[in-house]
Structures are given as structure tokens and as C-alpha cells.
Amino acid sequence: MSMTLHKDALWDKTLEIISGKVGESAFELWFRPIKLIQIKEKIAYLEIPNRFFREWIEDNYPTIIQETIEGLAELQLGLKFRIAGKEDEALKKIDTRLENRRTKLASRGIYLNPKHTFDSFVVGPSNQFAHAAAKRVAENPGSAYNPLFIYGGVGLGKTHLMNAVGNMIVDRSASISVYYVSSEQFVNEVVTAMRHERMGEFKDKYRNVDVLLVDDIQFIAGKTATQEEFFHTFNDLYGKQKQIIISSDRPPIDISDITDRMRSRFSMGLIADIQAPEVETKVAILYKKAAADRLKIPEDVVYFIATRVKSNIRELEGCLIKLGAHASLVGAPVDLSLAKAVLKDLIADDDKPISVDGVQKAICEFFGLKLHDLKARRRTREISNARQIAMYITKHLTQMSLSEIGAAFGGKDHATVIYACRQVAEKRTGDETLNKTIENIMKRLKQ
Ligand code: ADP
Ligand code: MG
């Protein structure tokens, strides 16, 4: 197919598939304006209107373009973004430097985000304990606190801090091996190794690292074989005084479905939490981020965003990115009225209660369905998929019982709702795009 599909046709098809996955408003805003310029030497060159597009896509759907286009073209492709028009030279230099660092580290098997350093991390009361602990570990890997267990809510800086430790260690010693892995990836690696009878290789790889960073460990809950493997990896590294850092959205004691011996290993070193940031910390983060993007943003806008976005720092940055993209597209300076208009769907009104009607409406808008489809018996794959997601979200965001939820979806029984919730929970852990979709819909509902 690849050779026969013309570049423009390939891109049209790519966009069509993406639009079905990300929802209409995100698609129109962030994907529609992108052009595929050429494919050369296994790299697809994409033209975007300004730098904020790349940031938004990397934050929200980091793999969707590549996966879709690779699937259609049936070949492996790298992606490169090019900004239409003139680009700020200083920023371009910084980007190139970061990209080079990323590539260089990756060639050594080190997958760290070069942007996530201690320098770019703003310290405030909410995160100073975790920050101090991370810094000590970076300065004395294997001997300060082992393991270091960092926990906190979504978007509060756990991944950033772990990467900062990794980056600092790598900078201080060229020979040390640092391995960063999400727990989902760890699960996949265990499964693949077992399936292809390559457990030996797997063990060699993990037992030869000097520093192991495992992000979002809560996802190994309930996965027995993976836990078993992780347990042995942990013991082996720990015995050799190799540094282990683990992050989670909750403290070890609250991770259900892991063995007690695993839980007690997590608690052997230091447990550090990150709390929701105070307004001052949010303000400092916004200024730092704006400066890094050369975005001029007045004080009232900074305070507007900092007070309206409750805690998630990724959302805080998301506001700035959207504002930056908009201001740069229309060539207008950022002011409060522009901010209010552009950010109205990102920013919370107050803590309004969420109803099943609201969920159904959001799902219908997102997937382009009619309300009666969602409640009908008829089930195409699209509809039943959307319905399952709607049930799952309703279960999570409202106080309704399973039978009440079933009734609200055209008289389904409570077993159907349980099944739907399990299905979605399961798929969510293995499908990053679906996970983001659900996060985005939930986020929108809470606003
Ligand atoms: P988590 O892993 O806890 O979900 P991340 O580490 O991915 O959160 O952080 C979300 C975003 O917020 C990232 O872009 C990160 O760089 C940024 N961020 C979080 N905390 C800080 C901070 N203290 N200073 C600067 N940026 C931060
Ligand atoms: Mg994270």
C-alpha cells in the first residue's frame, strides 16, 4: 500500500483516522492545520503553524500521528516538525540542542526527556520535600535513599523529577547506565519476553543498570507475573546498591493488588509526596514556561490562569500553550480578554456537579453520535465502544449506582455496566490514546 498511496492521500487518510480518535474540537484546532510536506529517508516532515502545536501534540497525543501514518504506510517512520514561516533563532537553537541530547542519550539506551531537569523545575512548598530528596539521590545514587518513592496526583511533576535525577546522573558520569521505563512498558517487556522465551535477555538488561527509574508503578497492580519479575529485579539491584526510583499516583499503602512483600520493598527507602501547588508556585511555573517559549504574558493573565487551574501543572502549561498558539496565529498580544475567550473551555467555572446527561452529551459530541444511539439496542462497534466509555465515566464521576447507570443508558442491567467498566479500565492501561481521550473528556466535564 505504501508505495501506491500518494503523499496527500496518505495524509488525508491519516487525518481522517485521527479525527475519529481525538474529538472534533481538538482535531480542528490542532491537527487540521498540519501539512505533510514530504517523506524522505524514512522521515515524515510535518509543517505546523507555530511551535506551540508541537508542544500541544507532544503533551496530549505524543504517538498518534506516528502510529497512524506508520500503520497506513506500512513502514517505520520518524517524524520531524517544521514551523511555517520564520522561527525564532534562539529558540530554534535551544530545540536543536535538546533534540541532539535526546538522540545522543537514546543511542546509549537512555530514554530521558532532556527538558525535564532540575533547572527547569520550580520549587515551592508543595514539592520541596520531593525535590530535595530527588536532588540528594542524584548526587549520591545508590547510597542516599533507596528506593526513592515519589507519589502525587496527575500532572504534579513526578515524571519531571525522575527525569531530572536521571539527567543529572548522566551529566555527572558518562559511563553510568540509567534506565527510565513506564510501568506499562515494563509490563509489555515482561509479556513479550515470556512469549518469546527471552526471559534471560530481559533479566540481563534490567540487572545491568546502575539506576532504574520506574514511572507510574500503580499500573503493575493486579499483574502477577510482572510483579514477580519486578520483585526479583528490585532485589537484585537493591542488593548491588543500585539506585531505584519509583513513582506512583498514591502511596504504597494505598496500592491495592500488590503483594505485601512488594509494598514493603517500596517503603524501605524514602517516601516523598508532591502536593498540589500553591498559587505562588503556579505563577512561578507560568512565568518560567512563558519565558522559555518567549511568550509575553501580562501579570493579570498569569494570575487568572493560576487561580483558575486548580492543581494539574500539565493543564496549567496547556493553557499557556493554547494561548501561545492562538496569539501567534493571529499575531495579537496576549491580554486578559483574549485569555478568557481562548481558555473558556479549559478553565473551571466552579465545582459544578456532574450528571449522567452531561456525560452522555460530552460523549456524543466527542464521538459525533446521537443521544438515542447511545441509549439504543443497536450496537455497531463505534457505538458500543462510546457507550462503554460513557458508562465508565459516569461510574467514576457521579454517585450513581450500577443499576441507575444501566437504566440511564436505555435500560441495560447492572452486569452490563460492570462489564463496560472493566473493559474500559483494562483497555485504558494498554492504550495511551484511549487513556488521553478519557482524561480529556473527564477534564472537560469537570469544568
Ligand atoms: P506527573 O508525572 O506527576 O503526572 P509531570 O512530571 O509529567 O507530572 O508534569 C506535568 C507537566 O508539568 C510537565 O510538563 C512538567 O514539566 C511540568 N511541571 C510539573 N511540576 C513542575 C515544576 N515544579 N516546575 C516546572 N514544571 C513543572
Ligand atoms: Mg508522569
Side-chain angles (χ1 to χ4, degrees), residues 59 115-116 120-124 127 152-161 215-216 247 274 281 285 288 312-314 317:
D59 281 352
K115 273 188 176 176
H116 290 163
S120 61
F121 192 84
V122 173
V123 185
N127 59 29
V154 179
L156 297 187
K158 303 179 295 294
T159 300
H160 188 139
L161 260 190
D215 211 352
D216 289 318
S247 86
I274 305 186
T281 310
I285 291 171
K288 192 166 186 116
N312 189 329
I313 296 170
R314 191 174 295 115
E317 294 185 338

Side-chain angles (χ1 to χ4, degrees), residues 396-416:
H396 280 260
L397 297 186
T398 71
Q399 304 294 322
M400 289 168 75
S401 71
L402 296 166
S403 333
E404 285 167 344
I405 296 174
F409 283 85
K412 312 279 183 298
D413 60 16
H414 90 289
T416 308

